Amino acid sequence: MRKKIDCRDYPSETNCSLVISGEEEEVVRAATEHAISVHGHTDGPELRDQIRSSLKNEMPQPA
């Protein structure tokens, strides 16, 4: 199942509205890069674990 993470679920100074979805590892990688470059977080296992635990299942769109 595809995973997603939505910046709107977490308060930020930039009021970021980015949503990232895809396979779990793709989302963790992209969300980590986004968290570092846009939100000023520091890369490391703790950040990746926090992102991974925040992932939600993406509901399939009706055909």
Side-chain angles (χ1 to χ4, degrees):
M1 177 169 280
R2 288 170 56 94
K3 301 291 186 177
K4 73 173 185 173
I5 193 163
D6 188 335
C7 274
R8 296 171 293 184
D9 292 341
Y10 309 96
S12 72
E13 294 176 5
T14 60
N15 294 318
C16 187
S17 64
L18 182 68
V19 177
I20 302 171
S21 67
E23 297 298 320
E24 183 171 335
E25 290 306 314
E26 294 173 320
V27 175
V28 170
R29 184 173 52 249
T32 299
E33 292 172 8
H34 174 73
I36 294 165
S37 65
V38 175
H39 298 290
H41 291 280
T42 302
D43 192 8
E46 292 170 356
L47 175 61
R48 292 171 190 271
D49 289 345
Q50 181 181 11
I51 289 170
R52 191 176 307 280
S53 69
S54 300
L55 296 179
K56 296 179 182 173
N57 290 332
E58 183 180 60
M59 294 297 129
Q61 297 296 320

